[in-house]
Amino acid sequence: MRALITGITGQDGSYLADFLLGKGYEVYGMVRRSSTESFERINHIIDKVTLKQADLLDQLSLIELIKDSKPDEIYNLGAQSFVPTSWNQPVLTGEFTALGVTRVLEAIRLVNPKIKFYQASSSEMFGKVRAVPQNESTPFHPRSPYGVAKAYGHFITVNYRESYDIFACSGILFNHESPRRGKEFVTRKITSEVAKIKLGKAKKLYLGNLEAKRDWGFAGDYVEAMWLMLQQAQADDFVIGTGETHSVKEFVEIAFDHVGLDYKKYVESKKEFFRPAEVDLLVADNTKAKKVLGWQPKVSFDELVKMMVDADLKLQEMARVA
Ligand code: NAP
Ligand code: F7E
């Protein structure tokens, strides 16, 4: 089997590549041209994957990429994925995160409609939630240009499945984190600063809304769900999450506790990190994924926080030695 991953240099792309290589897949990764390479997360497998340049903004490059790599499965993980940036760059976010999906689907339709397709949809589509917990039938009410772009990506995926009979699945994934998470996302921002504070390299941690709640899981668990969706007899959409919700404050408390510090001495809330519109209570109803895919999360919230703090402590200690 051969898989093509867009966004292979990102958090999920790197875990998915690890997972698929473990299953004996040939893995192709799409990377965009840049003046410096961003292969940090895939350096450990760089000799085992084939990287090809193309861009979600460039239709012809996607068509050529698919002709050239001849994948059985495509995982579309590439996106502008940081919610705050989507208010500053709403048009570009729409180009990557919304229209980019149509460009990949069009390339599949033209080159080989038998290719199976996974779309990285998001719990951000639920936004101002209409029900708690959220399942595959919960209506969307996105609260950011990112969430709106993802809602477009979801519906165009469903539309190509219904219009052209393409095996296209939309995975509606709730927040998932890991030591490979980008440092601007709140979990990694917390754990990297906790490590610096513990080692005396920083004094304060400035955050935004500490009361915001999320359903946080481990990225390594979630990439298995992506793969499972493409192994079913029929293409469908699935909500993937833990079914638990925790506040940013709880994450902070566990992270500081883990290194023996009291968060109240170090954490301050700043207006600049608040958002124009917030998503207050996201929590997944993962019943369908459990029943149909046989999927369930393995890493608990507590284990996730500690895993990330430990990894950041190790990184900071290595930097100190070097
Ligand atoms: P990430 O770490 O931000 O990675 C995004 C990837 O997309 C990077 O490899 C990036 O490449 C690539 N990319 C961005 N713009 C591109 C373009 N124009 N052409 C080609 N590649 C482009 O995101 P992630 O956390 O792994 O998430 C993976 C996907 O799942 C994203 O679509 C995200 O929106 C979605 N999602 C994530 C979560 C979550 O909690 N992590 C939850 C639900 C959905 P560079 O390295 O060149 O920047
Ligand atoms: O924010 C609050 C912030 O940026 C989580 C992406 O992967 O998951 C991710 O989007 C919460 C928000 O992730 C800070 O207000 C407080 O309520 O880590 P985040 P996100 O916006 O939930 C979804 C499912 C995706 O699809 C996205 O691609 O934390 N928060 N203080 C803060 N957030 C940040 N970033 N920084 C703070 O200082």
Side-chain angles (χ1 to χ4, degrees):
M1 289 293 283
R2 187 178 293 173
L4 170 65
I5 303 172
T6 76
I8 193 166
T9 55
Q11 170 188 260
D12 290 7
S14 68
Y15 279 104
L16 181 63
D18 288 343
F19 177 85
L20 294 175
L21 287 171
K23 292 252 166 229
Y25 273 67
E26 256 185 276
V27 175
Y28 278 64
M30 180 182 110
V31 293
R32 51 181 170 165
R33 196 264 157 192
S34 79
S35 64
T36 49
E37 290 171 343
S38 57
F39 297 165
E40 203 183 312
R41 297 183 177 103
I42 51 169
N43 264 335
H44 62 292
I45 48 170
I46 206 82
D47 297 335
K48 297 186 182 129
V49 295
T50 307
L51 300 179
K52 298 269 178 191
Q53 278 188 10
D55 201 299
L56 289 171
L57 299 185
D58 191 295
Q59 181 71 69
L60 196 55
S61 73
L62 294 167
I63 293 170
E64 289 302 325
L65 172 67
I66 294 176
K67 275 188 187 163
D68 188 29
S69 56
K70 299 185 180 59
D72 301 294
E73 298 173 355
I74 296 181
Y75 296 84
N76 184 37
L77 310 185
Q80 190 304 94
S81 75
F82 190 47
V83 173
T85 296
S86 78
W87 275 286
N88 300 331
Q89 300 178 4
V91 176
L92 190 62
T93 300
E95 286 288 351
F96 287 2
T97 307
L99 282 177
V101 188
T102 311
R103 293 190 189 100
V104 179
L105 285 164
E106 276 290 272
I108 291 176
R109 187 175 73 80
L110 288 169
V111 178
N112 176 10
K114 296 264 174 285
I115 296 170
K116 292 183 175 181
F117 176 76
Y118 172 85
Q119 168 56 18
S121 293
S122 166
S123 53
E124 278 292 306
M125 301 187 304
F126 295 124
K128 196 172 167 57
V129 297
R130 306 276 183 88
V132 180
Q134 296 86 43
N135 65 24
E136 293 77 7
S137 315
T138 306
F140 299 150
H141 186 148
R143 294 272 278 173
S144 62
Y146 169 81
V148 174
K150 281 289 178 189
Y152 173 96
H154 168 82
F155 283 123
I156 201 72
T157 300
V158 174
N159 183 263
Y160 271 55
R161 181 167 77 218
E162 293 174 355
S163 304
Y164 301 116
D165 206 20
I166 290 174
F167 192 108
C169 299
S170 169
I172 306 174
L173 271 53
F174 283 62
N175 297 52
H176 44 281
E177 320 292 316
S178 75
R180 298 185 201 165
R181 185 59 140 153
K183 282 187 185 152
E184 70 270 59
F185 298 94
V186 77
T187 55
R188 185 77 197 287
K189 180 174 170 183
I190 295 167
T191 61
S192 62
E193 289 306 305
V194 163
K196 285 189 201 154
I197 292 171
K198 178 68 184 171
L199 298 177
K201 295 182 183 180
K203 289 191 165 58
K204 286 271 178 207
L205 167 58
Y206 298 105
L207 294 170
N209 181 6
L210 297 177
E211 305 308 325
K213 287 186 153 185
R214 288 291 187 280
D215 178 330
W216 277 297
F218 172 52
D221 290 346
Y222 287 40
V223 297
E224 183 190 11
M226 299 175 186
W227 174 77
L228 282 168
M229 284 179 216
L230 298 198
Q231 312 316 309
Q232 304 305 304
Q234 276 183 345
D236 205 347
D237 309 320
F238 291 90
V239 159
I240 301 294
T242 69
E244 277 181 33
T245 186
H246 297 275
S247 65
V248 172
K249 196 192 279 174
E250 279 174 80
F251 195 106
V252 163
E253 270 185 301
I254 298 175
F256 276 89
D257 266 5
H258 188 53
V259 297
L261 297 177
D262 176 4
Y263 83 92
K264 292 191 195 93
K265 291 186 186 149
Y266 303 97
V267 176
E268 273 180 36
S269 199
K270 272 197 170 181
K271 275 274 162 277
E272 70 187 84
F273 296 117
F274 279 72
R275 298 177 179 186
E278 185 56 278
V279 172
D280 289 317
L281 183 54
L282 287 174
V283 56
D285 172 356
N286 60 16
T287 311
K288 182 174 168 186
K290 276 187 172 155
K291 196 169 150 211
V292 179
L293 304 178
W295 178 86
Q296 56 179 26
K298 297 183 185 89
V299 177
S300 72
F301 177 66
D302 199 63
E303 286 166 343
L304 175 67
V305 181
K306 290 173 181 167
M307 174 207 296
M308 291 177 68
V309 172
D310 287 342
D312 272 316
L313 273 174
K314 214 168 162 185
L315 268 184
Q316 289 300 330
E317 273 159 4
M318 273 159 51
R320 193 153 67 171
V321 172

